[in-house]
Amino acid sequence: MDVKAFGIVYGQTSALPYGSGFEWLPASGTKTFPVCRAIFVEAKANSSKDTLSVELADAPNQNFILNNLQGDQLLALACTAILSGTVNGVFILY
């Protein structure tokens, strides 16, 4: 099944572009939102590894901790909340 998005028809196996999103910072605290398509972890100045705690769309009220995040990473996750983290910041993408 083809998908029409942004005036272009994409084949079933095509990677659809991200249409919108917002930034989350650890100082923002817990944030809930409609199911996203991906999370982009911002790059950092040093080589330390961080964590991010999320709630996945298919496992409500369960805390999943993503470890060893290095920054400048795209994580294809369908989640509905970010609970906490030590990352510089992330972008929630739709």
Side-chain angles (χ1 to χ4, degrees):
M1 176 174 102
D2 293 339
V3 176
K4 186 173 184 178
F6 311 109
I8 300 171
V9 176
Y10 294 89
Q12 187 172 8
T13 59
S14 298
L16 295 174
Y18 297 105
S20 65
F22 62 90
E23 185 177 24
W24 176 86
L25 302 171
S28 304
T30 298
K31 174 78 175 169
T32 58
F33 42 85
V35 178
C36 69
R37 292 178 47 212
I39 296 174
F40 180 78
V41 180
E42 292 181 7
K44 37 189 316 179
N46 58 40
S47 63
S48 66
K49 296 183 179 178
D50 290 320
T51 63
L52 187 64
S53 178
V54 300
E55 181 178 298
L56 300 177
D58 58 351
N61 302 314
Q62 293 185 37
N63 182 9
F64 291 90
I65 299 173
L66 307 170
N67 291 307
N68 298 319
L69 300 175
Q70 297 179 28
D72 199 23
Q73 292 177 287
L74 183 64
L75 308 171
L77 295 173
C79 64
T80 56
I82 294 184
L83 307 172
S84 64
T86 61
V87 294
N88 282 352
V90 299
F91 287 95
I92 310 305
L93 302 172
Y94 294 96

